[in-house]
């Protein structure tokens, strides 16, 4: 989620590698992949979410839902 939020704030995924240093290498790779896939498929995830919710979620909640849909 920190990676996705960072992109929303104008940073690139590559600029945020330090945000994952506390994780084991395998988890760093998984987090980076999930963030990239979530951002890449945001439109598709949003269409799925729109069919399931009654109102537009707050941006941070929308990011969590998008990540869940993509995963």
């Amino acid at each position: 989620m920190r990676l996705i939020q960072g992109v929303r704030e104008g940073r690139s995924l590559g600029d945020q590698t330090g945000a994952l240093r506390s994780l084991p290498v395998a988890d760093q790779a998984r987090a980076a992949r999930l963030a990239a896939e979530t951002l890449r498929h945001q439109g598709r995830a949003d269409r799925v979410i729109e069919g399931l919710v009654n109102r537009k979620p707050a941006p941070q909640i929308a990011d969590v839902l998008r990540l869940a849909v993509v995963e």
Side-chain angles (χ1 to χ4, degrees), residues 1-48:
M1 292 312 309
R2 279 186 268 159
L3 296 176
I4 294 169
Q5 183 178 358
V7 170
R8 301 250 178 269
E9 294 170 354
R11 296 186 301 271
S12 73
L13 282 176
D15 290 342
Q16 301 181 70
T17 55
L20 303 175
R21 285 195 182 136
S22 64
L23 298 174
V25 174
D27 291 341
Q28 289 179 29
R30 182 171 186 259
R33 180 189 58 78
L34 277 172
E37 291 295 313
T38 299
L39 293 165
R40 184 176 296 123
H41 298 290
Q42 177 179 331
R44 295 172 80 189
D46 284 348
R47 286 190 294 279
V48 170

